[in-house]
Amino acid sequence: MFEITAGKSALRLNRPLMGASGAFGFAGEYSKLIDLSLLGALVTNPISLKPRRAANSTRVVPLDSGVLIHTGLPNGGIHKMHRQYAARWRTSPIPIVMHLIGSAEDLAECATFLDQQSEIASIELGINDTLTAREVRTVVATVRARTQLPLLAKLPLYQAVNVAAAAADGGADALVVAAPPRGTARDPLSGQLVGGRLYGTWLKPLAVRLVGQLAPRVGVPIIGCGGIHHPDDVRDFFEAGAKAVQLDSVVWVRPDMVAAIANALSGAELTRAAGALADEWRPYGETAERRTPLIVAPPPPFVPPPPEI
Amino acid sequence: MFEITAGKSALRLNRPLMGASGAFGFAGEYSKLIDLSLLGALVTNPISLKPRRAANSTRVVPLDSGVLIHTGLPNGGIHKMHRQYAARWRTSPIPIVMHLIGSAEDLAECATFLDQQSEIASIELGINDTLTAREVRTVVATVRARTQLPLLAKLPLYQAVNVAAAAADGGADALVVAAPPRGTARDPLSGQLVGGRLYGTWLKPLAVRLVGQLAPRVGVPIIGCGGIHHPDDVRDFFEAGAKAVQLDSVVWVRPDMVAAIANALSGAELTRAAGALADEWRPYGETAERRTPLIVAPPPPFVPPPPEI
Amino acid sequence: MAHGQAIIERIRRVSAGIQRLELAVEPAQQIIGGGQFFLVRTTGTYDPYLREAWLPVGLRDGAVIVERPTRYEYAPNQVIDVLGPIGKPFPLRDSTRALLLIAYEATPAIFLLMAQSALARRAAVTLVLIGQACRYPLEALPSAFEVTRAEYHETWHERQQQIAWADQIFAVAPPPYDVPAYLRLLEDVQRIRHAMSADLLYGIFQPPMPCGVGACQACLVRLHNGEEVPACVDGIAFDLTRVNLLQNLPDSTGV
Amino acid sequence: MAHGQAIIERIRRVSAGIQRLELAVEPAQQIIGGGQFFLVRTTGTYDPYLREAWLPVGLRDGAVIVERPTRYEYAPNQVIDVLGPIGKPFPLRDSTRALLLIAYEATPAIFLLMAQSALARRAAVTLVLIGQACRYPLEALPSAFEVTRAEYHETWHERQQQIAWADQIFAVAPPPYDVPAYLRLLEDVQRIRHAMSADLLYGIFQPPMPCGVGACQACLVRLHNGEEVPACVDGIAFDLTRVNLLQNLPDSTGV
Ligand SMILES: Cc1cc2nc3c(=O)[nH]c(=O)nc-3n(C[C@H](O)[C@H](O)[C@H](O)COP(=O)(O)OP(=O)(O)OC[C@H]3O[C@@H](n4cnc5c(N)ncnc54)[C@H](O)[C@@H]3O)c2cc1C
Ligand SMILES: Cc1cc2nc3c(=O)[nH]c(=O)nc-3n(C[C@H](O)[C@H](O)[C@H](O)COP(=O)(O)OP(=O)(O)OC[C@H]3O[C@@H](n4cnc5c(N)ncnc54)[C@H](O)[C@@H]3O)c2cc1C
Ligand SMILES: Cc1cc2nc3c(=O)[nH]c(=O)nc-3n(C[C@H](O)[C@H](O)[C@H](O)COP(=O)(O)O)c2cc1C
Ligand SMILES: Cc1cc2nc3c(=O)[nH]c(=O)nc-3n(C[C@H](O)[C@H](O)[C@H](O)COP(=O)(O)O)c2cc1C
Ligand code: FES
Ligand code: FES
């Protein structure tokens, strides 16, 4: 049980594992593929006060490592989204955290609205990467003043070290480190350079370092996020000081990894079922397993195969 | 011809292409493999005022994308390094840029020394990623006051947007955007989490975005650096606003790409020699070529093979 | 919709450029309609990161037959990672007696499963291949198809009659040429068929699909009613009279 | 030292766990001494990013024979990207009549090329296999070798005589076990051979090598004289009396 308390309210997670904003949708989009109750909580895709249209051209640029995605954060605005999803959120087996984006005023209005609703267990603020530490403090404090709900602040990767203390001072009950950074790449369809957020396994070492830098310094729990694709990655975040983690793009590329990671977190031992074929045994990841650690220099230790029977 | 001028002195590059600090060594380490005269200039590995030992344990951690490397920036100190390499720098076919690291005072002392020497065409300052904009301005200005040499400032990835103007104000004649970021990963040999710089193809979209943000804003030329592995990558940096680029880890993984990129930059047409076998024709990269742009959604356009003869 | 492993049981070359693979898929993935497809990972690494779209062209004894270019190499018994079926089956009406299929610069493979149902119901099927699609090998198509070829939409001379004749029309073009192609086609169909019934003309939208389940919002198609719907859930075919084609045109915002 | 493409001409399985590949390499790469090796890329992508070390075990008509575990799959005619030879040949003295080779938990393959020269000069070669190295198949070794096996350094009972007998000793252990293994061996050799001549005892240092040319400074070995030298240029064998073994012990600094 992982708990984030805020005065009388609390966000209680059966497992220190969350689905990250932007990856899992607004509610049960993944429920046919994944037992979402394996997660401790689900963070919705970003929601704003007013409706946002999809970016004029949606951009998905496959990169040599990972992918660039720009959506424009389309959503119908908090009131429409609430009408549309409230029933599903209410019956969700796990707590729902609403990810909010916008100006301080917009966020405050959203928070005031959510404080009257019962479906949402917590708010996660998407901290814009152009804000100074002082502005981050103001944004968080403004929202904090309007809601009793536990408040998470998701920090931009580059600015995480600069704004973490400000977010905690402003009243965030936990910090999510970090949101995927923005980048620029050439869209193969249009031939243009386009901007968007970047996802991939390479994010992990960047985010783990930030968690390691921030965990000893800030007084609130840190939730690690970025590039987690394997139970071992979660171990690295915890060792660096995270108290929980969020999964993001791994759910697109290996939905089965969500259960594998959740089970590893609960200490469930995963062994190959007696009689299972090699390719049926995939506790976490024979088909996209991490490479054997290393090896550029000779000589390899001699690791013989199991004796022939 | 790409030129960076500083008062009466100038760094003149036959091609807007440099070997980045940390990748190419201190002088001719790559001369058996690469025609270094194809580069516009070579930046030395980092040099400090006083000697620095190799990190207590050198760390190379292969990652799911790229590699983490921590060396501790070993070098014998500027005076010993100068004695050791001056003859080779003097006979170098291309200008040598010395990459300097250290405190403002150390850097000033190094610059004062170099201003008396003739082997070095320019100084590149490695800007520490813990410095504030104000401190960056002071460091650059302190060095600027001691040398007539053209001065490049290599900015840390995360802080590039925050400190670029300060570096230019302090007197940098060009900005290198950006140095590889630090990260944390588990060393397969020790089983420990270790820190180091991160290299790989994924760096490119991060760096291209920064170049695109900074080029219109700062009054000095921007030299793009990060993740370049292919002539197309150089095109992206130029389109984003860079006036020159630095190659780094590509030289380790595909030394032949250095010539391929240099030739592409001079407009040299690379065609397969008449009679060459398919595997002998590698103008830039049949063995580690970028993937066909994209493809996640159906249906693929039908691209039939050339007719059988 | 399921996520599982499949085994490549058979590989057959049907032309110099095309091979067909028989996949032993999970039971839940054996029920697949024309227009639905799989998102597949063949590598044991995250390079490439996103899945490839594999198009079913036939079904046989629980195996699904997909079509792939021969430039990709596969091995019998290779185990692959399969997500799907993605999307909805094409809305082929029971009453459709004349089916017009148009491939602009794209493989017509996505049509083959639906066309088999149509032929089985004794519908007449006309396939129009435009541009590079002309090079799709005839031997890979059912012999009952009538095939028309043209270099450009404008030089498809039979389009007046063929559009007038059809009960339903489906067109495929790869992005970013899809919207321009569908705009021209829609204009022609509106001109030729004055009173266009709903369910007459469908265009296929095939943006890259990171998730395939409607979660990532990367594949949204904008409709006239203001809705933005994921092609991976509500597509991949959309009634072109419902789609706000102009709003789906890519813009060219830079860095 | 060159960078070129090689063709895998032949693949032979020499035991259940080992295969040997005959590589047609560039002319400049055909001159390779025992102890030198290649850094190889086999993939067409940058995954994995760093090259693999491939160990030559023989030469034949311009082809270089390397040894690889059978768990990796290669195809005849496969074209690979080869950098090398890396490092210096092992300093085998002409006068060496008794050569002692020790493999701690590592394949002894790195010794085979040098051992062939030694045998050709009628030297006696003793190979000591310790730990997992014991499972290296005898049939992959020249029959002229005398082979000793032990589970640990401490249970290598012949070490007193074998160390006393040798004119030169070479030991290999994989990092991070190399330094601890060499410390124990050096202690034994110093005890047994009182006045140790230079060029008697060599340890192999095999850190990961990003560049292989001395540029990236990732493979430095610390010597007693204060120098830090790249294993990829000055190694991979170092006279253990010159190496500051304690300073080469990994530390455990965290995040
Ligand atoms: C003195 C001494 C003490 C030791 N003590 C211990 C101990 O206490 N605990 C312990 O676990 N082990 C110990 N070892 C080593 C151990 O027995 C094995 O060598 C080691 O565990 C390798 O097995 P692995 O499968 O875990 O690692 P691997 O995945 O095999 O990787 C370990 C090493 O193997 C190399 N390698 C792996 N695959 C390849 C390849 N395909 N090509 C090239 N190189 C490759 C890498 O360089 C890496 O350094 C010791 C060895 C020595 C000499
Ligand atoms: C109305 C119309 C107008 C057009 N106008 C132009 C024009 O002006 N200029 C022009 O260049 N082309 C035009 N085209 C399309 C063009 O003729 C080709 O379809 C296109 O160039 C593809 O070839 P390629 O090799 O360049 O790209 P490819 O590398 O083949 O990639 C292009 C598309 O192919 C898909 N693709 C590639 N490989 C695979 C695979 N293995 N599996 C699945 N999908 C794959 C991708 O989705 C991508 O969208 C037009 C098409 C239409 C319908
Ligand atoms: C608070 C905030 C957060 C944003 N985060 C994202 C994001 O996660 N992904 C994304 O694709 N775009 C993001 N954007 C950028 C918007 O998508 C982009 O500005 C929009 O497409 C431009 O149109 P608009 O500003 O007129 O809505 C964000 C914008 C704001 C204001
Ligand atoms: C200005 C400066 C720049 C640095 N840049 C790098 C670098 O590029 N790569 C690296 O591995 N370490 C870098 N470091 C970190 C040092 O390697 C690390 O602090 C050192 O190993 C710790 O020992 P020391 O500070 O006692 O020398 C840098 C340190 C300083 C002061
Ligand atoms: S692919 Fe993610 S919403 Fe359609
Ligand atoms: S591998 Fe780069 S210096 Fe040795």
Side-chain angles (χ1 to χ4, degrees), chain D residues 6-218:
Chain D
I7 298 170
I8 299 177
E9 294 197 328
R10 254 167 210 287
I11 304 172
R12 287 200 183 81
R13 181 184 289 257
V14 292
S15 76
I18 291 177
Q19 59 191 328
R20 290 188 179 159
L21 318 180
E22 253 180 69
L23 303 182
V25 296
E26 310 272 339
Q29 296 177 325
Q30 291 168 11
I31 299 146
I32 186 164
Q36 295 184 303
F37 59 95
F38 294 125
L39 289 172
V40 170
R41 294 190 71 73
T42 56
T43 62
T45 69
Y46 288 113
D47 180 21
Y49 195 65
L50 297 183
R51 291 161 179 272
E52 295 171 345
W54 284 25
L55 307 181
V57 295
L59 304 171
R60 175 153 45 220
D61 305 332
V64 176
I65 302 164
V66 300
E67 186 161 308
R68 299 291 300 152
T70 45
R71 73 189 127 106
Y72 297 98
E73 274 182 43
Y74 305 101
N77 291 320
Q78 191 178 340
V79 176
I80 57 173
D81 181 300
V82 175
L83 185 71
I86 304 294
K88 290 189 173 29
F90 289 152
L92 177 70
R93 284 196 310 253
D94 283 348
S95 57
T96 293
R97 288 285 152 264
L99 178 62
L100 179 62
L101 307 173
I102 313 166
Y104 291 98
E105 311 285 353
T107 169
I110 189 72
F111 293 137
L112 296 188
L113 213 51
M114 170 176 66
Q116 283 164 35
S117 319
L119 292 173
R121 293 189 217 152
R122 310 184 139 259
V125 178
T126 294
L127 174 65
V128 184
L129 301 173
I130 295 183
Q132 286 202 50
C134 292
R135 293 155 85 179
Y136 191 84
L138 282 193
E139 62 270 32
L141 295 172
S143 55
F145 276 26
E146 182 189 324
V147 178
T148 299
R149 288 187 166 111
E151 205 176 336
Y152 305 103
H153 179 85
E154 290 67 24
T155 57
W156 165 25
H157 299 299
E158 304 83 347
R159 69 184 191 279
Q160 174 81 26
Q161 312 90 281
Q162 289 178 333
I163 290 172
W165 158 88
D167 295 324
Q168 278 192 298
I169 307 172
F170 290 82
V172 62
Y177 307 109
D178 45 4
V179 174
Y182 300 156
L183 277 169
R184 272 181 290 177
L185 177 62
L186 177 64
E187 206 181 302
D188 273 356
V189 174
Q190 282 170 330
R191 189 172 39 74
I192 296 165
R193 302 284 294 247
H194 312 289
M196 253 183 85
S197 64
D199 291 356
L200 172 64
L201 174 64
Y202 288 87
I204 291 175
F205 290 83
Q206 37 168 337
M209 294 184 183
C211 78
V213 305
C216 74
Q217 300 181 281

Side-chain angles (χ1 to χ4, degrees), chain A residues 46 51-56 59 69-74 99-103 126-129 179-180 182 195-197 199:
Chain A
R52 287 174 64 96
R53 305 296 309 264
N56 198 11
R59 297 151 180 170
I69 297 185
H70 174 69
T71 64
L73 310 181
H99 183 97
L100 293 178
I101 55 165
S103 63
I127 302 295
N128 192 292
D129 51 6
R182 291 177 203 282
R197 295 200 179 234
Y199 300 86

Side-chain angles (χ1 to χ4, degrees), chain A residues 8-276:
Chain A
K8 282 170 291 180
S9 73
L11 173 64
R12 292 194 183 82
L13 283 66
N14 280 329
R15 285 194 181 78
L17 187 66
M18 307 166 82
S21 182
F24 284 74
F26 291 102
E29 283 88 341
Y30 264 106
S31 55
K32 275 189 204 155
L33 281 180
I34 297 170
D35 175 2
L36 289 172
S37 69
L38 288 172
L39 294 172
L42 185 75
V43 187
T44 66
N45 279 10
I47 292 179
S48 47
L49 179 62
K50 301 259 173 285
R52 287 174 64 96
R53 305 296 309 264
N56 198 11
S57 58
T58 295
R59 297 151 180 170
V60 176
V61 182
L63 304 171
D64 278 329
S65 313
V67 64
L68 176 150
I69 297 185
H70 174 69
T71 64
L73 310 181
N75 75 93
I78 192 165
H79 298 104
K80 181 167 171 216
M81 299 307 279
H82 184 263
R83 278 196 303 282
Q84 192 172 339
Y85 290 103
R88 266 185 271 177
W89 289 335
R90 210 173 299 125
T91 56
S92 161
I94 52 171
I96 301 293
V97 178
M98 187 183 284
H99 183 97
L100 293 178
I101 55 165
S103 63
E105 298 68 42
D106 283 8
L107 292 170
E109 197 172 330
C110 290
T112 308
F113 171 73
L114 287 182
D115 215 40
Q116 312 304 315
Q117 317 301 331
S118 58
E119 298 82 11
I120 298 298
S122 169
I123 292 173
E124 179 181 270
L125 298 179
I127 302 295
N128 192 292
D129 51 6
T130 59
L131 301 185
T132 62
R134 188 188 301 264
E135 290 164 341
V136 169
R137 195 185 187 294
T138 307
V139 166
V140 178
T142 309
V143 175
R144 175 75 292 167
R146 307 300 179 89
T147 181
Q148 304 290 322
L149 292 174
L151 196 57
L152 317 183
K154 189 162 190 177
L155 308 183
L157 188 85
Y158 289 5
Q159 301 302 329
V161 168
N162 301 336
V163 305
D169 287 352
D173 300 305
L175 305 180
V176 184
V177 176
R182 291 177 203 282
T184 299
R186 195 170 297 276
D187 178 2
L189 298 182
S190 67
Q192 307 265 346
L193 288 181
V194 298
R197 295 200 179 234
L198 301 171
Y199 300 86
T201 56
W202 52 270
L203 252 170
K204 199 202 70 170
L206 294 165
V208 170
R209 175 165 192 267
L210 293 178
V211 170
Q213 286 180 291
L214 290 174
R217 286 204 226 154
V218 293
V220 297
I222 297 213
I223 301 170
C225 180
I228 295 176
H229 285 72
H230 195 274
D232 288 349
D233 297 337
V234 176
R235 184 165 67 109
D236 293 353
F237 272 100
F238 283 160
E239 187 171 322
K243 299 290 179 223
V245 293
Q246 293 190 349
L247 304 182
D248 57 10
S249 58
V250 65
V251 73
W252 308 332
V253 295
R254 282 291 303 273
D256 55 326
M257 272 294 166
V258 176
I261 291 170
N263 288 329
L265 272 177
S266 12
E269 198 67 50
L270 289 164
T271 56
R272 181 161 160 181

Side-chain angles (χ1 to χ4, degrees), chain C residues 125-147:
Chain C
V125 178
T126 294
L127 174 65
V128 183
L129 301 172
I130 295 184
Q132 286 204 50
C134 291
R135 294 155 85 180
Y136 191 84
L138 281 193
E139 63 269 33
L141 294 172
S143 56
F145 277 25
E146 182 189 325
V147 177

Side-chain angles (χ1 to χ4, degrees), chain B residues 266-282:
Chain B
S266 13
E269 197 67 48
L270 290 164
T271 55
R272 183 161 157 181
L277 295 174
D279 64 87
E280 288 174 347
W281 185 63
R282 196 173 55 170

Side-chain angles (χ1 to χ4, degrees), chain B residues 21-22 46 48 51-57 59 69-74 99-103 107 126-131 179-180 182 195-197 199, chain D residues 251 253:
Chain B
S21 181
S48 48
R52 287 175 65 95
R53 305 297 308 266
N56 199 12
S57 59
R59 297 153 182 169
I69 297 185
H70 174 71
T71 64
L73 310 180
H99 183 97
L100 293 178
I101 55 165
S103 64
L107 292 170
I127 302 295
N128 193 292
D129 52 6
T130 59
L131 301 185
R182 292 176 202 282
R197 295 198 181 236
Y199 300 86
Chain D
D251 70 2
T253 341

